[in-house]
Amino acid sequence: MSSPLGPSDRVVDYTTRFATFLADEVAPIEEALAARSVGTPWQPVLDEAGRMHPEVWEARREVQRRSAAAGLFNPHISSDVGGGGFSRVEMQHVEEFVYSSSGLGLGLAALAWTENASPAIERCSPEARERFLQPLLDGTITGAFCNTEPSVGTDVLAMDTHARRDGSDWLVSGTKAWITNSHFADVLQVTAVTDPGAGTRSLSMFLIDAGDKGFTRGRDIPTMLGDGLTGELHFDEVRVPAEHVVGEPGDGFGLAMSWINWRRMCRGGMCAGWGSWLRDRAVARAKKRHSGGKPIAELQAVQHLLADIDTDVYTARAMSLQAQSELDALGPFAQPLHPDAPRLISMIKVVNDESFFRVADNALQVHGGTGLLQGSPEEKLFRLARNLKIPAGTVEIQRNAIARGVLRPA
Ligand SMILES: Cc1cc2nc3c(=O)[nH]c(=O)nc-3n(C[C@H](O)[C@H](O)[C@H](O)COP(=O)(O)OP(=O)(O)OC[C@H]3O[C@@H](n4cnc5c(N)ncnc54)[C@H](O)[C@@H]3O)c2cc1C
């Protein structure tokens, strides 16, 4: 009997088509990129301003456009606005397949990520849908989610960026920092204070065209990821028409959480995919590398590393699938969100962030000095795993949400 948590027929269809797409469409672009000596999306050569090399960026963009044309780019978006309408359980299977089959390759760009369409902006006006959402779905433009500021991260409601009314328009001012895709984004999804003191109703979300007067890109913020994608953005009285407010004024906090929760839930498939990829690489290395005249795979010390990797991947994957299925029943992107949902979403994030960090650490250890080689997959994913515990809400904040859920009156 097939498991209700197993891959559905349309997931099987998706992954079959994705595998063909990787071989037929992505591999030639990847080969051409390798010949250019500009690095890869995960280890790009940076330009003089510290930003991802434009040729690497363009290779990713080409994959995104082709993936959209092949109907592979947006399975996570509702079918009524042109996406695949996949559930969270289905998306975990899709993400796991994409990450395990792509490794650190260009294929990862073929599935929408933080710079592409998110469930949070599906609630935009018909005009904004045509101007921003449809091109995001088509892969013809990219975006950035702009919530964090130089002095405000976790404490979202303390943000300085604000918007004031001017007739039916809004004027948005402030500085956002630590923003992924800040250098290239065509559309900015910006949260700003519109009703100071109104708590979770104090923010609104705006869609801002990067060509608009008053918007400027700031400095690059180099992180341990070394991908040249993170930076600052400045808004100086940028005029935004009422139809570019997502949802209603005052919905911004809920919509920002929806975007952040999307990224948190994606950890399940991402860490299962990369985790199994690292496990398979560690097993292969342990069978091939010799010490004392025999493969290190025969040493109990190394076997225990492999056992811990396997157990971490299995438990995080199983827990996440169960939580995604409960979230599917509650409505993972409902506004307002069901009060039982944040606990489950935060469990997915904290369990995956912490188990994947152990997986990456143990996998690197199996590879010995080779694992420390700059640019090796193990070294890269170790740095990435360390990074995961901070963006989209720190692991401490996830524990706060889980505790709130546990302590909530029945
Ligand atoms: C590579 C990268 C990409 C990013 N991309 C984006 C993006 O695209 N868009 C965006 O808006 N932001 C982005 N961010 C910002 C990211 O979301 C924040 O860094 C994160 O939310 C943490 O905020 P902070 O850095 O200000 O840490 P702080 O809020 O200063 O936290 C510092 C420490 O205090 C703890 N802490 C703070 N408040 C509490 C509390 N109430 N309870 C318990 N512990 C607490 C934290 O857990 C942490 O350990 C990105 C960050 C990085 C590193």
Side-chain angles (χ1 to χ4, degrees), residues 127-128 131-132 162-173 187-190 192 194 204-209 212-215 235-246:
E127 196 272 341
R131 175 145 175 210
F132 299 118
H162 55 276
R164 64 179 174 87
R165 280 195 191 272
D166 186 39
S168 63
D169 293 347
W170 294 86
L171 296 174
V172 178
S173 295
V187 57
L188 299 318
Q189 306 157 57
V190 183
T194 48
S204 300
M205 182 183 277
F206 300 90
L207 295 174
I208 295 180
D209 191 309
D212 284 351
K213 191 162 165 277
F215 169 72
F235 303 85
D236 182 11
E237 301 251 293
V238 180
R239 183 170 292 279
V240 185
E243 57 271 27
H244 293 178
V245 175
V246 185

Side-chain angles (χ1 to χ4, degrees), residues 285-302 365-368:
R285 173 78 182 179
K287 287 180 176 169
K288 201 165 134 223
R289 180 76 170 174
H290 283 67
S291 178
K294 58 183 181 184
I296 59 170
E298 291 181 23
L299 304 173
Q300 194 181 47
V302 174
Q365 193 69 15
V366 172
H367 287 257

Side-chain angles (χ1 to χ4, degrees), residues 69-229:
L72 294 168
F73 198 37
N74 303 295
H76 63 302
I77 295 289
S78 303
S79 42
D80 21 317
V81 296
F86 279 29
S87 68
R88 280 307 314 159
V89 167
E90 290 179 307
M91 280 312 300
Q92 177 162 329
H93 288 294
V94 162
E95 287 149 3
E96 181 178 347
F97 183 83
V98 169
Y99 281 80
S100 62
S101 59
S102 303
L104 285 173
L106 201 46
L108 294 173
L111 181 63
W113 188 61
T114 70
E115 76 227 27
N116 309 117
S118 78
I121 60 164
E122 289 181 21
R123 285 156 206 277
C124 62
S125 70
E127 196 272 341
R129 189 188 289 189
E130 195 178 323
R131 175 145 175 210
F132 299 118
L133 181 55
Q134 192 56 50
L136 283 170
L137 293 171
D138 293 341
T140 53
I141 65 169
T142 66
F145 170 68
C146 311
N147 196 46
T148 307
E149 302 186 351
S151 53
V152 177
T154 305
D155 196 7
V156 173
L157 292 173
M159 72 172 57
D160 281 333
T161 301
H162 55 276
R164 64 179 174 87
R165 280 195 191 272
D166 186 39
S168 63
D169 293 347
W170 294 86
L171 296 174
V172 178
S173 295
T175 293
K176 297 292 184 178
W178 300 95
I179 306 304
T180 303
N181 199 29
S182 59
H183 313 313
F184 302 102
D186 303 291
V187 57
L188 299 318
Q189 306 157 57
V190 183
T191 46
V193 178
T194 48
D195 191 0
T200 55
R201 298 294 301 165
S202 63
L203 309 182
S204 300
M205 182 183 277
F206 300 90
L207 295 174
I208 295 180
D209 191 309
D212 284 351
K213 191 162 165 277
F215 169 72
T216 46
R217 299 183 205 268
R219 68 184 178 108
D220 179 70
I221 302 179
T223 73
M224 69 196 292
L225 293 181
D227 57 10
L229 283 179

